Amino acid sequence: MFKSGDDHRLPDCVYVEPPASVRPAGDTPKHVLYLSNLDHQKFLRFQIRYLYVFKRAVTAAALKDSLSRILVPYYPLAGRLRRCAPTETHHAEDAADDDDKLEIDCNGEGAIFSAAKMDITAEEFLQLAVKPNRSLRKLLCSAAVEPQSFLDIPPLVVQVTNLRCGGMILCTAISHCFCDGIGTSQFLHAWAHETAQLGGASSALIQPFHSRHVLKPRSPPRVSFPHPGFTNITPDSSSIHHVLQSQPLIPSSLTFSTAQILRLKRRLPPSIKCTTFEVLACHTWRCWVRSLGLHLHSSMAVKLLFSVNVRKVFDEMPQGYYGNGFVLASAEADANELVAPAGLHDGVKLVQQAKSRITAEYVRSMIDLMEEDPTVRVDQSSSLVISQWSRLGLHELDFGQGKPLHMGPLSSYIYCVFLPVIGESDAVRVLLSMPESVVYKFEFYMTELSSGMFGESADQEEEEEDANKQYGVGNLKMVSV
């Protein structure tokens, strides 16, 4: 339940033409495409929605034409998702089960494309859309935002909205079951490259490889590692995830400059060498726990789940592998220890250890676990989930009229996204939605890099009091956890 957006009113979109199907420009294979166990996970059954703002527009006709051409090599995006056909052990009456495996019917039905205009300039829009809000939903046609069910959503939905200043907003929605962030970036760059050719001969920068069989489970499955990021226990109403979902949520968007990230790294002992992601992920995890008051619960275990690309882990995964080629690494800590003075140091080590566990055999074991026990799912009950978008090249997109003024997700989610910052290659924007009662406390802890950082030079109770005095908020109201 999101509360954002009531005070961010955009003008209405005026549709130039009704949404239409854009089919591949040439013949494409007509077959059913297997999805791996990494693809059909229940937590991926949503759309990855991007929002771009460009200073100069490309005509809708040019975008439709190039989209039609690029859908030839990316033909699964012109198909439709469906549940696998019933087998002897899986009867038709069970077809409504959300845990059913999925497949892609590559039928060439087409992507959905719509063109609109809005009476606003790019500069005015960016002032109103500093953070995602409900008003942005009008920038993507109802085929994507008002589906009857997940399977009814076309895998690719596009809307281009021309602005009064001559610029444009481009919104895309791509089914996460089809591909991950690397795949969406690969497709968008291929489409932009095709558009910039102005009709000339061109080929995709990286040719997509659509077969997912390299990630098929072994026969018989062999689960050779523990996988703490998964569970088959149904979370109850007292779980952190359930409580968060029941609260009014508003987006928090915080940009960390190169200098701020360096200051975070300098809080670590000289012997600890870490990446920007590792230290910022740990910092965000600690602030999330602290602002929600999870450290106040005796010996409460909290998890950090974060995406790790596995394409380089497997020698047999070809370049351009087009599917979900990531897994969630899992770090776990006692909440009270995590926010203690040594928490940043210890947390970074936990993140590094979680990354080091992602070997080829570990990923095989994870795939086999999902095959052996179809009831397992990502354990979000007490977890912060972080997705890394800042190194995917999404902000480099150029359809022939220059790179974007802004890129980001159309919506803010309960999970956290690390985004690129236009014009600052080493900066990172942290975006997630938090309960209204604690969001300002979260931002207080995230940005107080020069303070005691949870007791490193000041008492925790004093920091808690400072946050409450400044923002007048308490901890998240939780049922017994």
Side-chain angles (χ1 to χ4, degrees):
M1 178 171 58
F2 290 86
K3 192 176 179 177
S4 61
D6 293 339
D7 55 347
H8 297 81
R9 297 295 184 185
L10 292 176
D12 288 335
C13 281
V14 178
Y15 283 90
V16 177
E17 57 187 50
S21 292
V22 176
R23 300 176 182 272
D27 292 335
T28 58
K30 301 295 189 292
H31 62 95
V32 173
L33 186 63
Y34 165 82
L35 294 181
S36 78
N37 283 349
L38 298 185
D39 294 316
H40 78 75
Q41 297 178 80
K42 190 174 180 180
F43 90 104
L44 294 183
R45 299 186 184 189
F46 69 96
Q47 300 164 303
I48 307 174
R49 300 177 183 175
Y50 296 126
L51 183 154
Y52 284 92
V53 181
F54 293 91
K55 185 176 182 179
R56 291 186 293 274
V58 179
T59 67
L63 289 169
K64 285 176 70 174
D65 183 59
S66 59
L67 179 60
S68 179
R69 294 197 304 273
I70 207 62
L71 282 176
V72 175
Y74 286 88
Y75 66 90
L77 289 174
R80 293 295 181 267
L81 200 63
R82 72 183 190 189
R83 290 187 173 88
C84 293
T87 64
E88 291 183 3
T89 58
H90 182 187
H91 302 291
E93 58 265 25
D94 298 325
D97 188 348
D98 284 343
D99 293 325
D100 284 352
K101 291 192 175 183
L102 306 172
E103 61 191 10
I104 302 173
D105 181 11
C106 299
N107 55 19
E109 194 169 328
I112 301 299
F113 185 98
S114 61
K117 59 183 180 180
M118 180 177 284
D119 187 19
I120 194 172
T121 67
E123 183 178 352
E124 291 168 343
F125 174 83
L126 291 176
Q127 291 176 352
L128 291 173
V130 174
K131 298 178 183 179
N133 59 78
R134 288 185 180 275
S135 189
L136 300 183
R137 294 183 180 184
K138 64 183 66 178
L139 295 168
L140 200 57
C141 68
S142 59
V145 298
E146 298 176 5
Q148 295 299 311
S149 73
F150 175 71
L151 293 180
D152 291 331
I153 308 173
L156 174 61
V157 180
V158 174
Q159 178 171 319
V160 57
T161 304
N162 288 335
L163 307 176
R164 188 174 70 235
C165 62
M168 73 173 183
I169 299 171
L170 179 69
C171 287
T172 62
I174 303 176
S175 172
H176 209 328
C177 290
F178 280 62
C179 59
D180 52 16
I182 290 175
T184 58
S185 180
Q186 179 182 317
F187 166 75
L188 290 172
H189 276 281
W191 180 23
H193 180 70
E194 188 73 28
T195 308
Q197 300 305 306
L198 301 177
S202 172
S203 60
L205 299 178
I206 300 176
Q207 290 296 324
F209 183 86
H210 294 299
S211 175
R212 322 291 175 92
H213 287 81
V214 66
L215 294 182
K216 287 196 73 171
R218 294 172 290 197
S219 181
R222 299 195 302 276
V223 182
S224 49
F225 290 89
H227 296 282
F230 286 84
T231 182
N232 55 12
I233 300 174
T234 302
D236 59 33
S237 60
S238 66
S239 74
I240 299 170
H241 186 71
H242 187 279
V243 172
L244 288 175
Q245 288 185 315
S246 68
Q247 301 274 324
L249 301 176
I250 59 177
S252 173
S253 177
L254 300 165
T255 297
F256 286 80
S257 66
T258 305
Q260 288 173 312
I261 293 170
L262 184 58
R263 284 164 66 187
L264 265 179
K265 290 183 177 181
R266 284 175 175 167
R267 291 187 174 275
L268 298 170
S271 59
I272 300 294
K273 306 300 180 184
C274 67
T275 66
T276 292
F277 174 82
E278 290 165 355
V279 71
L280 191 54
C282 180
H283 178 57
T284 304
W285 187 24
R286 297 179 77 210
C287 294
W288 182 80
V289 168
R290 181 86 172 141
S291 61
L292 294 175
L294 304 182
H295 59 297
L296 303 177
H297 298 265
S298 178
S299 301
M300 182 176 189
V302 291
K303 294 179 182 178
L304 174 68
L305 307 178
F306 57 94
S307 55
V308 176
N309 177 22
V310 301
R311 286 167 174 80
K312 295 182 179 179
V313 170
F314 292 101
D315 294 335
E316 59 267 40
M317 286 186 78
Q319 184 183 36
Y321 176 85
Y322 210 74
N324 284 284
F326 80 97
V327 297
L328 291 178
S330 175
E332 183 172 340
D334 178 277
N336 199 47
E337 293 178 1
L338 187 64
V339 302
L344 184 64
H345 166 254
D346 294 341
V348 165
K349 290 197 294 184
L350 289 173
V351 171
Q352 292 176 332
Q353 291 166 6
K355 287 175 64 176
S356 69
R357 285 194 289 269
I358 308 300
T359 63
E361 179 59 29
Y362 186 91
V363 177
R364 291 285 183 203
S365 175
M366 183 180 294
I367 292 170
D368 288 353
L369 171 67
M370 289 184 275
E371 185 70 15
E372 188 176 81
D373 185 357
T375 67
V376 298
R377 57 189 170 276
V378 172
D379 183 9
Q380 300 180 72
S381 61
S382 59
S383 306
L384 172 66
V385 181
I386 298 180
S387 183
Q388 167 76 300
W389 290 14
S390 60
R391 293 292 180 263
L392 300 180
L394 290 163
H395 58 301
E396 300 289 333
L397 208 61
D398 188 346
F399 286 85
Q401 295 293 335
K403 294 179 181 179
L405 301 172
H406 168 84
M407 83 76 44
L410 187 66
S411 307
S412 179
Y413 305 99
I414 198 170
Y415 68 86
C416 179
V417 181
F418 284 5
L419 295 164
V421 179
I422 303 294
E424 299 182 56
S425 60
D426 294 324
V428 178
R429 183 160 68 102
V430 178
L431 175 68
L432 81 162
S433 285
M434 292 286 286
E436 183 181 20
S437 60
V438 299
V439 66
Y440 296 112
K441 183 179 284 191
F442 171 75
E443 293 177 349
F444 175 85
Y445 291 131
M446 285 287 283
T447 56
E448 285 296 290
L449 301 181
S450 60
S451 74
M453 289 284 290
F454 308 163
E456 287 159 10
S457 64
D459 186 85
Q460 285 192 3
E461 292 183 2
E462 291 179 1
E463 288 186 337
E464 184 83 26
E465 185 177 349
D466 287 344
N468 287 334
K469 284 181 179 179
Q470 185 161 351
Y471 297 111
V473 294
N475 294 307
L476 177 68
K477 294 180 180 179
M478 299 183 66
V479 189
S480 175
V481 176

